[in-house]
Amino acid sequence: MVYSSSQIVIKRLINIATHRLVTLPVLVLMPHSRCNCRCVMCDIWKANSNKQEITTENLEKHLPAFKKLGVKHVALSGGEALMHTNLWKFCALLKSIGIRISLLTTGVSLKVHAENVIAWCDDVIVSLDGGRERHNQIRNIPHAFEKLEEGVARLKVLKPEFRVTGRTVLQKMNFRDFPDIVTTARTLGLDQISFLAADVSSSAFNRPAPWEDDKVVQIELNATEADEFESILRTSFTEFKTLYQQKFIAESRQKMLSLVQYYRAILGATDFPGKVCNAPWVSAVIESDGEVRPCFFHPSFGNIHEHSLTEIINTPAAVAFRKNLNMKEDKTCQRCVCSLHIGLRKRV
């Protein structure tokens, strides 16, 4: 069924009133559990001995639910989605019901798969940690930067207008490289670069429990480093003024400074940055083992190998979670390093 704009608004308003979801515009799908990098700020790669993936047969069973929920956009995350045994059939199934696909990738095998990426994905987001040496150091595998560089170049040769953006986690090892990261992103031919702080407090990204203090201090910024980071950013507001204005740097100046505030808040020196987010009402995360979360950081509602997605997101526990969630007071939300906000009310 195709809904008119006014019908979509009404359905979304019902979501707000009841906290039962009848539409779900965005899904983050982790098709595969393993990763081809060994990044210092992520533990996903530590599960490489235990391969898990959502098979095409698994996915096909849930397409009616995706269609009923009006899923419009799927982000293929991971692990490294390009390690999936049959990713292009996976994408073909999503495309069969009109879903837009974004691929999040390390870029290590991007060149090999470039033709299929162009054929089946609508855009690509690559992880970039610095210039050549810094990126390779953080990715902790040989020639990670060179492979990323070759992959992006191949995409642009095949289809110059194809959108390829970058995403950088700024942390102790690379915050001083911020200007070089921006310059490198331009040199690579990326269309945009965005920045996040490192998650140092949750059990997301394959951590059986939050990191111990000795691991946290390897990633977080101390007070002196936070001051230095702020100075680097304020200098960048002049140095890269045009790039901020053109949104090549995706975040606003205020949003960039919120990364400094986050690290100061981790140290207990200030409050965590406020954010506008409605992820639990407009999206879900499906992990490679089938677990369904309201976002990366909150606990699972259920598993798609046992129930349909429609059932999982509207269990009494899921509805109660959304109804009672106060993001300003919830510890997980306060410490969240990312956010998603899709407007629920539109002028029609």
Side-chain angles (χ1 to χ4, degrees):
M1 181 182 293
V2 178
Y3 295 102
S4 68
S5 296
S6 58
Q7 285 175 314
I8 291 172
V9 171
I10 291 171
K11 289 170 75 64
R12 288 178 175 175
L13 291 177
I14 291 173
N15 291 353
I16 296 170
T18 67
H19 297 279
R20 289 184 59 83
L21 302 186
V22 292
T23 59
L24 199 69
V26 176
L27 273 181
V28 178
L29 275 177
M30 300 180 181
H32 192 83
S33 62
R34 294 190 296 157
C35 187
N36 48 20
C37 286
R38 304 289 185 273
C39 302
V40 298
M41 64 286 185
C42 175
D43 288 347
I44 289 175
W45 58 272
K46 293 182 180 179
N48 278 359
S49 61
N50 182 26
K51 183 183 80 171
Q52 294 177 315
E53 67 176 29
I54 300 173
T55 67
T56 54
E57 292 78 14
N58 295 150
L59 178 67
E60 192 164 16
K61 294 175 184 177
H62 292 277
L63 291 182
F66 290 5
K67 189 172 183 178
K68 182 178 180 180
L69 288 166
V71 176
K72 301 298 182 186
H73 191 176
V74 164
L76 298 178
S77 186
E80 172 56 65
L82 290 174
M83 296 176 74
H84 190 275
T85 55
N86 202 351
L87 184 63
W88 310 121
K89 182 178 179 182
F90 195 96
C91 289
L93 289 170
L94 295 173
K95 285 293 184 183
S96 72
I97 57 171
I99 289 177
R100 177 183 176 85
I101 300 173
S102 294
L103 172 68
L104 283 68
T105 177
T106 65
V108 170
S109 57
L110 192 54
K111 181 181 178 181
V112 174
H113 296 288
E115 285 80 1
N116 279 316
V117 170
I118 293 287
W120 294 110
C121 300
D122 295 281
D123 66 283
V124 166
I125 304 167
V126 298
S127 298
L128 179 65
D129 295 304
R132 190 178 308 272
E133 292 185 7
R134 183 70 69 195
H135 183 84
N136 287 341
Q137 179 189 20
I138 291 174
R139 293 279 133 180
N140 202 24
I141 62 168
H143 311 300
F145 182 88
E146 291 81 357
K147 292 174 181 177
L148 167 63
E149 184 178 38
E150 291 173 353
V152 172
R154 182 60 180 160
L155 291 177
K156 290 297 186 179
V157 166
L158 291 171
K159 189 175 182 180
E161 71 275 18
F162 188 77
R163 184 169 174 80
V164 186
T165 61
R167 182 167 295 166
T168 303
V169 176
L170 290 170
Q171 37 88 13
K172 186 184 287 288
M173 290 183 66
N174 68 348
F175 77 92
R176 294 185 181 92
D177 297 296
F178 175 76
D180 188 37
I181 294 168
V182 175
T183 302
T184 299
R186 297 188 73 195
T187 302
L188 287 172
L190 300 185
D191 295 291
Q192 190 180 59
I193 183 73
S194 65
F195 297 91
L196 295 171
D199 171 47
V200 298
S201 61
S202 82
S203 59
F205 312 116
N206 194 47
R207 300 170 195 161
W211 279 335
E212 299 291 338
D213 289 346
D214 60 344
K215 175 65 175 178
V216 171
V217 297
Q218 296 176 37
I219 303 299
E220 70 177 1
L221 275 58
N222 62 34
T224 301
E225 290 166 339
D227 291 343
E228 184 181 358
F229 187 25
E230 180 176 356
S231 178
I232 290 169
L233 290 179
R234 291 194 180 279
T235 299
S236 80
F237 298 158
T238 300
E239 181 181 1
F240 298 131
K241 179 179 179 180
T242 301
L243 298 183
Y244 280 104
Q245 291 174 339
Q246 294 174 344
K247 299 297 288 183
F248 179 79
I249 299 173
E251 287 73 25
S252 66
R253 300 177 183 189
Q254 182 180 359
K255 188 68 178 291
M256 290 303 302
L257 289 174
S258 75
L259 305 187
V260 180
Q261 184 181 346
Y262 167 82
Y263 282 116
R264 286 175 174 153
I266 289 289
L267 298 172
T270 188
D271 294 333
F272 284 94
K275 56 179 65 68
V276 178
C277 179
N278 60 1
W281 290 268
V282 298
S283 67
V285 175
I286 303 180
E287 298 186 332
S288 57
D289 61 358
E291 291 295 307
V292 179
R293 296 174 179 263
C295 68
F296 285 106
F297 305 102
H298 282 286
S300 169
F301 290 149
N303 193 295
I304 60 169
H305 299 313
E306 300 170 359
H307 302 283
S308 75
L309 180 62
T310 308
E311 292 173 316
I312 292 168
I313 62 175
N314 284 313
T315 62
V319 171
F321 168 80
R322 291 187 290 269
K323 182 178 181 180
N324 297 318
L325 181 61
N326 184 330
M327 292 187 176
K328 291 183 179 180
E329 297 181 1
D330 184 88
K331 297 294 185 184
T332 298
C333 291
Q334 287 176 346
R335 293 168 174 263
C336 180
V337 296
C338 62
S339 61
L340 172 69
H341 185 262
I342 297 177
L344 296 179
R345 299 173 185 267
K346 292 182 179 180
R347 186 174 297 172
V348 296

